[in-house]
Amino acid sequence: MYPRPVPETAHASRRLYMTLVGAILIVWLAPLFAVILTSFRSMADVMSGNLWGWPTEIAVVENYTAVFTQTPMARYFLNSLVITIPSVVGVLILSTLAGFVLARYRFPGNMLIFALFVGGNFLPHQIMMIPVRDLMVRLNLYDTTTALIIFHVAFQTGFATLFMRNFIAALPDELFQAARAEGATPFQTLIHVVVPLVRPALAALAILLFTFIWNDYFWAVVLTVSDDVKPVTAGLANLRGEWVSAWNLISAGTIIVAVPPVVMFFLMQKHFIAGLTMGAVKG
Amino acid sequence: MTSLWRRHRWWLTPTLLILPGAVLFAVVILASSVQSLWISLHDWDGFGPMVWIGLGNYRELMDDPQFYVSLKNNVIWLVMFMLAPPIGLAIALLVNQKIKGMRLVKSMFFIPLVLASVAVGVVFTWVYTPEFGLLALIFRAFGANAPALLSDEHFVTFAIVVAALWSQIAFCMVLYLAGLNNLSEELIGAGRVDGARGWNMLRHIVLPQLTQVTFIAIAVTVVGALRSFDMISVMTRGGPFGSSSVLAYQMFEQSIFSYRFGYGAAIASVLFVIMAVFITWYLTRIIRAEERGA
């Protein structure tokens, strides 16, 4: 192991080490703690400039109620779910199918298709912005959640296919030879061999995609304008313009945007890390 | 019909399976990107007919002072973002201990990575707020006045990049922690026997084993730097007077606010060329690795 482990018997150095790490962690997360604390602050505190000290009164219920009742935040939150969940499911299906074919069938152009999926994934979003926006306008989908779902599914399929292909390619060959010997059709092989084995990969991918899509801001502002379809990210940017210095409410709004990915991350941390490193390290 | 299907399904099924993903990706992502290159050769307001002007937009771009400001800021992002891999490695080395409670500590360090960049932008706008911000508070403790970073054209880009580095460092740290867990115990042990310690051990025994991780960390950092848009949009809208704009934001502004879609497409194309150089380098590396592996 590197660096050398702090020995279990050295109590003093252990305590010193933990104190040091704790101190760095507090500095690292200071902006976040401040936002959480401010989302508890009363308006009086904000007005008097007490933005970083301890709140004089806890107004957590008032603040979050205000955000949910006086602003469209609840609507934005719902929109984000309506956009994110179907997009994740769509990408998982399409990328499993495409990844299976690219991993298990040799055909001319296999490498080219793979390279296009990977390369396309790195394109700057702005290079496709105008035509995608135009396409959605022509399909009569501009300013709908469907437009965002279609885009996210298309775009994330690139990364997800790379991910699934690498995972399926690493499965033992014998399984596929056995399936072929049994006379299984490609479709049967997919359902009975691939799908049961890729579950961990799907879990990792699902949490990553959820975070990517939930956090998207650029496409939200390019493809939506009305409050009825806007996700939380674009919504938060809007609210900030409206409540210039009501920092306690803006903080509460920020926490609402941040909570779902953070909760998902803590619930599925092992999958998240595995996904991130597998996707990155293999690709 | 069924016999025809049966005779051909060995290739028909795979084709049908890959088709939905491939077609959607080709139409929405790839065709759109090519189409942008075409639009960049036209004058277009997004509604009326497109008028062919050849390289007109690019010629205008060469004389546009804002273009050079954006390009310069892209370079600042790129250079400053290169701090993320070493700092990420440093934190990874710091927390790579198996002590009770360290798992939670590591997860806490990861948090900025999963925060929406819009949320990070809002948080840091507030840290930088003159008079009331955290920064102002720290400066006042030393008896000084904090500069209004986000309204100062010399500091604004640096201030935004520092905010963006927060999550990028967390990303690199995750990658390095995974890399540190895959180190060869034998090599480390051999190094210890030979008396390698501290910096020497890191430089000659650990880092060579992390080459692959470093390659990935640099790749995601370059892409992250060139993709910067959200934070700029949320924190400054490119201001003051365009001084914190980057190509991605200038493109958005020209198209969505000024209805100059042809000009916007030309800016996007320049950004695309910069990214393409990088993508080519990246793809040749992984395809070569793939061929070696296969």
Side-chain angles (χ1 to χ4, degrees):
Chain A
M1 220 176 133
Y2 184 85
R4 194 187 284 272
V6 180
E8 215 159 322
T9 45
H11 290 293
S13 32
R14 276 222 161 175
R15 210 162 303 140
L16 188 69
Y17 169 77
M18 286 309 267
T19 317
L20 177 73
V21 169
I24 293 174
L25 182 61
I26 288 172
V27 174
W28 180 248
L29 291 182
L32 193 63
F33 292 140
V35 171
I36 296 174
L37 214 55
T38 294
S39 76
F40 296 173
R41 252 175 249 282
S42 65
M43 206 55 176
D45 261 9
V46 174
M47 297 304 249
S48 67
N50 176 16
L51 284 176
W52 303 90
W54 198 256
T56 52
E57 55 177 318
I58 301 290
V60 54
V61 180
E62 289 91 323
N63 288 346
Y64 284 88
T65 318
V67 170
F68 277 118
T69 54
Q70 291 166 30
T71 74
M73 207 60 188
R75 178 78 232 185
Y76 297 148
F77 195 89
L78 194 68
N79 295 337
S80 272
L81 289 176
V82 168
I83 293 161
T84 308
I85 293 170
S87 302
V88 171
V89 174
V91 177
L92 291 183
I93 295 172
L94 293 187
S95 61
T96 307
L97 300 182
F100 167 58
V101 175
L102 288 177
R104 287 294 155 185
Y105 293 89
R106 289 188 169 274
F107 56 91
N110 181 318
M111 213 43 172
L112 177 71
I113 296 179
F114 181 58
L116 285 176
F117 270 127
V118 182
N121 189 55
F122 282 115
L123 291 171
H125 289 287
Q126 287 72 23
I127 191 73
M128 50 200 114
M129 181 190 104
I130 296 170
V132 167
R133 189 174 175 278
D134 201 41
L135 176 74
M136 296 309 171
V137 171
R138 273 185 289 135
L139 292 174
N140 240 338
L141 290 173
Y142 179 71
D143 199 21
T144 64
T145 49
T146 315
L148 279 172
I149 294 171
I150 292 176
F151 177 80
H152 287 310
V153 171
F155 186 76
Q156 300 297 351
T157 294
F159 163 75
T161 301
L162 154 79
F163 189 97
M164 292 310 289
R165 174 202 172 271
N166 286 344
F167 191 89
I168 296 170
L171 294 175
D173 261 330
E174 294 76 31
L175 288 171
F176 293 90
Q177 281 158 9
R180 214 168 303 142
E182 301 268 329
T185 65
F187 191 71
Q188 285 166 331
T189 313
L190 174 70
I191 298 298
H192 298 294
V193 179
V194 176
V195 171
L197 290 173
V198 296
R199 280 200 195 134
L202 289 178
L205 202 48
I207 164 76
L208 281 183
L209 293 169
F210 182 90
T211 312
F212 293 159
I213 298 172
W214 181 277
N215 288 347
D216 164 70
Y217 169 73
F218 179 70
W219 291 98
V221 289
V222 168
L223 294 178
T224 66
V225 280
S226 52
D227 282 344
D228 290 341
V229 285
K230 231 179 237 168
V232 274
T233 44
L236 178 66
N238 256 20
L239 292 189
R240 215 176 55 92
E242 284 167 28
W243 297 331
V244 188
S245 54
W247 281 110
N248 53 340
L249 300 188
I250 297 171
S251 300
T254 308
I255 298 298
I256 294 167
V257 174
V259 154
V262 173
V263 168
M264 289 284 277
F265 168 73
F266 274 98
L267 287 180
M268 302 180 62
Q269 191 185 350
K270 253 197 0 228
H271 288 301
F272 186 91
I273 306 285
L276 207 58
T277 47
M278 182 160 50
V281 173
K282 289 233 34 169
Chain B
M1 187 62 205
T2 41
S3 75
L4 199 70
W5 165 250
R6 222 166 262 164
R7 223 173 323 129
H8 290 286
R9 76 178 160 199
W10 63 272
W11 68 271
L12 263 177
T13 319
T15 312
L16 288 176
L17 292 181
I18 199 173
L19 220 51
V23 168
L24 192 65
F25 193 77
V27 170
V28 179
I29 307 302
L30 301 178
S32 290
S33 304
V34 176
Q35 211 185 330
S36 270
L37 299 175
W38 175 246
I39 294 173
S40 77
L41 304 173
H42 295 80
D43 198 17
W44 190 37
D45 62 6
F47 308 101
M50 298 205 290
V51 181
W52 172 267
I53 53 166
L55 293 175
N57 285 322
Y58 293 95
R59 239 172 271 129
E60 188 184 338
L61 210 51
M62 291 299 125
D63 293 324
D64 184 349
Q66 180 61 51
F67 171 68
Y68 294 101
V69 172
S70 305
L71 202 58
K72 186 194 81 193
N73 285 336
N74 270 120
V75 173
I76 295 178
W77 271 85
L78 210 51
V79 172
M80 278 188 69
F81 249 42
M82 283 307 143
L83 289 172
I87 300 178
L89 173 62
I91 302 183
L93 288 172
L94 174 75
V95 300
N96 191 33
Q97 293 281 348
K98 287 202 172 70
I99 297 179
K100 218 177 126 216
M102 279 318 277
R103 270 182 51 108
L104 183 66
V105 168
K106 284 181 209 166
S107 331
M108 303 276 276
F109 270 104
F110 296 158
I111 288 179
L113 173 60
V114 291
L115 294 181
S117 46
V118 177
V120 176
V122 171
V123 172
F124 273 84
T125 310
W126 184 48
V127 169
Y128 294 144
T129 307
E131 271 186 79
F132 299 115
L134 186 59
L135 197 73
L137 234 61
I138 295 172
F139 268 69
R140 206 169 308 142
F142 291 99
N145 270 329
L149 289 181
L150 294 184
S151 41
D152 185 315
E153 55 180 307
H154 300 293
F155 293 131
V156 62
T157 298
F158 294 97
I160 302 175
V161 178
V162 167
L165 270 172
W166 198 33
S167 33
Q168 194 64 36
I169 290 171
F171 196 167
C172 293
M173 175 200 164
V174 171
L175 297 176
Y176 275 117
L177 265 178
L180 286 174
N181 280 326
N182 288 327
L183 291 180
S184 143
E185 287 296 329
E186 257 167 66
L187 284 176
I188 303 277
R192 289 219 166 101
V193 170
D194 289 341
R197 297 184 56 209
W199 169 252
N200 263 331
M201 177 74 121
L202 180 67
R203 171 77 186 76
H204 296 291
I205 296 177
V206 176
L207 281 183
Q209 295 185 61
L210 293 175
T211 323
Q212 187 62 17
V213 180
T214 303
F215 167 67
I216 309 291
I218 290 176
V220 296
T221 304
V222 170
V223 174
L226 291 176
R227 283 238 174 110
S228 54
F229 171 90
D230 300 7
M231 307 278 274
I232 294 162
S233 170
V234 171
M235 294 176 78
T236 63
R237 297 183 166 269
F241 310 110
S243 57
S244 63
S245 197
V246 291
L247 292 180
Y249 191 77
Q250 192 190 350
M251 179 276 166
F252 174 79
E253 203 176 30
Q254 287 294 331
S255 324
I256 301 287
F257 298 143
S258 310
Y259 297 103
R260 301 196 59 200
F261 284 81
Y263 196 53
I267 301 171
S269 304
V270 172
L271 184 59
F272 165 72
V273 169
I274 297 172
M275 196 80 105
V277 172
F278 171 74
I279 297 174
T280 315
W281 168 75
Y282 181 82
L283 276 184
T284 41
R285 269 206 61 159
I286 66 160
I287 288 178
R288 225 175 276 154
E290 197 68 36
E291 279 165 353
R292 242 181 290 130

